[in-house]
Amino acid sequence: MVRSTLLRKASLVGAFFVSVFLVSPVRAACPLVEGLAPLRVAKVVDGDTLRLADGRSVRLIGVNAPERARDGRPAEPFAEAARKRLQTLVAANDGRVGLRVGSRARDQYGRTLAHAYDGAGRNLEAQLLAEGLGYQVAFQPATGLEECHRGAEDEARRQRLGLWQQATVVTPFDLRSGGFALVRGKVERVQRNRGGLWIDMDGPLVLRIEPKLLRHFDVAALQRLAGREVEVRGWVIDRSRRGGVQPDQARWMLPLTHAAMLEVLP
């Protein structure tokens, strides 16, 4: 699916909630959400995860922040900056957030999946994206914020803010481990079978759209991608750790969870 890079403009209405909360024209394109009950935050775990005073762990839906140090791995660039910025945004709102829980209420770790808002109804993920402190991510069912989140990320990327100061896009040949990645490369072929739609890249990577998600994609357009350059994002899986791969199969697989996770380049 070809993504337009034109950013919708919206006028800024009203005063800032607090002076620390900077609102850009791009970010204002995300609709305000009013009437959410304020919930107290006990801890900002990282740039995309909160722990509420009621004990719930909340994973913000629209952003994937750089990983902090864990399991012997060093912190990714801007991981601490993302955590501190989210901490500041929460503190500026008296330590509370409003939540709009997604259609899929929890992830595989039991965390509540939700969009977070300040007291004026402004989306916190969009602010982090606009400052280059995370990557936009999207899943089905759609939440309606995919376009404004991508606009916020596009602006940060254009200005080389935050994590966009460094080269963050890799080729399929650069992949060395599983986990979140932003990958650019050429499509070799596209195949559809009972396992879904498979997009083979030039290199040891295949993209997969599982059957139940195909209705959310323009399948006809995807089947014409051979020879085109694309940029994709998502969580790469090392198939060799699942009992090995056949000689004609790619070692790495990236499941596509939403059309916004694939961009066809000019």
Side-chain angles (χ1 to χ4, degrees), residues 125-178:
E125 299 107 274
Q127 180 66 25
L128 294 168
L129 290 167
E131 297 180 15
L133 296 176
Y135 301 93
Q136 186 229 5
V137 291
F139 305 87
Q140 290 294 348
T143 66
L145 296 187
E146 292 82 10
E147 183 178 347
C148 70
H149 281 170
R150 180 53 66 93
E153 183 196 88
D154 280 346
E155 186 66 12
R157 194 168 182 173
R158 184 183 67 80
Q159 297 186 47
R160 299 186 66 82
L161 300 178
L163 55 81
W164 299 110
Q165 296 173 29
Q166 303 177 11
T168 56
V169 183
V170 300
T171 74
F173 298 99
D174 297 324
L175 295 172
R176 295 292 180 271
S177 63

Side-chain angles (χ1 to χ4, degrees), residues 173-189:
F173 298 99
D174 297 324
L175 295 172
R176 295 292 180 271
S177 63
F180 186 83
L182 189 60
V183 186
R184 182 177 297 173
K186 182 177 289 187
V187 175
E188 284 195 333
R189 61 182 175 274

Side-chain angles (χ1 to χ4, degrees), residues 42-63:
K43 181 180 181 180
V44 175
V45 179
D46 54 32
D48 55 35
T49 310
L50 304 171
R51 186 169 300 128
L52 302 182
D54 62 15
R56 281 183 293 169
S57 183
V58 178
R59 174 64 165 84
L60 304 185
I61 294 176
V63 61

Side-chain angles (χ1 to χ4, degrees), residues 15-179:
F16 292 142
F17 181 66
V18 287
S19 60
V20 72
F21 208 120
L22 303 178
V23 182
S24 69
V26 170
R27 187 177 178 277
C30 282
L32 299 179
V33 175
E34 300 178 349
L36 297 174
L39 302 170
R40 181 163 293 281
V41 175
K43 181 180 181 180
V44 175
V45 179
D46 54 32
D48 55 35
T49 310
L50 304 171
R51 186 169 300 128
L52 302 182
D54 62 15
R56 281 183 293 169
S57 183
V58 178
R59 174 64 165 84
L60 304 185
I61 294 176
V63 61
N64 184 54
E67 294 287 342
R68 299 179 68 198
R70 65 174 185 177
D71 301 328
R73 292 185 179 183
E76 295 178 355
F78 294 95
E80 190 59 22
R83 185 189 70 83
K84 288 183 177 179
R85 183 56 174 144
L86 182 56
Q87 196 171 50
T88 298
L89 295 175
V90 171
N93 199 48
D94 194 30
R96 300 172 187 270
V97 296
L99 295 182
R100 183 159 68 88
V101 178
S103 298
R104 179 186 168 201
R106 289 181 176 80
D107 66 8
Q108 66 269 34
Y109 305 109
R111 299 177 297 186
T112 297
L113 296 171
H115 291 300
Y117 296 83
D118 75 348
R122 296 180 292 234
N123 181 247
L124 300 189
E125 299 107 274
Q127 180 66 25
L128 294 168
L129 290 167
E131 297 180 15
L133 296 176
Y135 301 93
Q136 186 229 5
V137 291
F139 305 87
Q140 290 294 348
T143 66
L145 296 187
E146 292 82 10
E147 183 178 347
C148 70
H149 281 170
R150 180 53 66 93
E153 183 196 88
D154 280 346
E155 186 66 12
R157 194 168 182 173
R158 184 183 67 80
Q159 297 186 47
R160 299 186 66 82
L161 300 178
L163 55 81
W164 299 110
Q165 296 173 29
Q166 303 177 11
T168 56
V169 183
V170 300
T171 74
F173 298 99
D174 297 324
L175 295 172
R176 295 292 180 271
S177 63

